[in-house]
Amino acid sequence: MIITNGIRLGPGVTVKQANTPYVNPLPLLFELDASTYTSGSTWSDISGNGRNATLTNVAWDGTNGGSFVFTSDPSKNIVISGSEGAWGQAGSAPNLTFSVLAKVISNSGYQHIAGWRGDINFWFLILPNSQVEARIDTGLAWDIGLDYTPYYANWTYITFVADSALDQTRLYLNSTLVGNVDTSLGTFGTGNALFRIGCDSGNSFAMDGNIGGAAAYSRALTQQEVTT
């Protein structure tokens, strides 16, 4: 449901016109919004689940609602503690979605934008040939790739969906489906990789750009839900 002229009261609750609440039915694992950040090393989860992120050496830019700044430095990262195994959502039949609002400044080599990159193995990378790579690993690496050049230096809402019901992964940019891969997700592994923003679990593949928000959901979202 798309709500216009609404006022957001809290996680998943919006009021419109005659104080009628519309409750967001999406099963949020966490939601991070840069506009809610105040100070310190904690970026609070506004989903109500208490899954806060820890900021390490990341600068704050207060313009345009606020964002966190990355400069191709692997010491700069954002990590959600306790996010190993995607809180049990990965397992043997993953149904999971995560989104990130990012402005990638330029092509500076491999860049981990957001995700569980490690034993869980799905993530975003910007490759040296300006290709975006959204990957899920089931023993083999299955990539969704496209030319990311038009998106550089522009705010882009990136959404990755793992959908075991359809044996498919999907990638959306600004709510538009830009690629998918049909593959068996039955052997999708769990592991100890944390959800990270700005670099991978080994503190490499550092990002160059800004992050304005991130969220994850415990099921595969539909096109309509991604758009909403």
Side-chain angles (χ1 to χ4, degrees):
M1 179 182 299
I2 298 175
I3 301 171
T4 59
N5 300 320
I7 300 173
R8 189 174 189 276
L9 298 183
V13 180
T14 300
V15 168
K16 181 186 177 185
Q17 294 180 349
N19 294 328
T20 302
Y22 291 83
V23 178
N24 185 349
L26 299 182
L28 275 165
L29 292 171
F30 68 83
E31 183 180 7
L32 303 172
D33 185 339
S35 68
T36 66
Y37 172 75
T38 53
S39 62
S41 61
T42 299
W43 187 7
S44 296
D45 171 20
I46 61 173
S47 74
N49 292 319
R51 291 165 175 158
N52 302 327
T54 299
L55 310 170
T56 301
N57 299 325
V58 183
W60 169 251
D61 181 352
T63 61
N64 297 321
S67 64
F68 296 98
V69 183
F70 297 84
T71 57
S72 302
D73 179 352
S75 72
K76 303 177 188 291
N77 59 77
I78 300 174
V79 179
I80 302 180
S81 299
S83 58
E84 303 95 333
W87 299 285
Q89 304 303 322
S92 61
N95 286 286
L96 188 70
T97 301
F98 72 90
S99 297
V100 60
L101 179 62
K103 180 169 68 172
V104 183
I105 299 300
S106 62
N107 177 9
S108 62
Y110 290 90
Q111 298 180 63
H112 172 86
I113 308 304
W116 289 268
R117 187 183 191 279
D119 293 336
I120 293 179
N121 276 335
F122 50 96
W123 61 80
F124 298 133
L125 288 178
I126 306 298
L127 302 182
N129 60 357
S130 300
Q131 295 288 309
V132 63
E133 178 185 77
R135 172 177 294 183
I136 189 167
D137 196 322
T138 64
L140 296 174
W142 301 89
D143 297 336
I144 302 170
L146 76 157
D147 185 5
Y148 199 79
T149 301
Y151 301 93
Y152 283 125
N154 294 305
W155 283 105
T156 305
Y157 193 64
I158 309 168
T159 303
F160 180 80
V161 177
D163 187 341
S164 65
L166 297 179
D167 279 333
Q168 184 181 76
T169 58
R170 299 187 290 275
L171 178 67
Y172 300 84
L173 297 180
N174 296 329
S175 300
T176 298
L177 180 65
V178 296
N180 63 274
V181 172
D182 293 319
T183 179
S184 172
L185 304 184
T187 58
F188 184 74
T190 57
N192 59 3
L194 295 167
F195 189 93
R196 283 178 170 255
I197 299 171
C199 69
D200 77 343
S201 57
N203 289 326
S204 57
F205 301 151
M207 176 185 169
D208 178 21
N210 299 66
I211 293 290
Y217 307 86
S218 59
R219 64 174 169 82
L221 300 191
T222 65
Q223 171 72 72
Q224 182 180 2
E225 290 169 333
V226 170
T227 301
T228 302

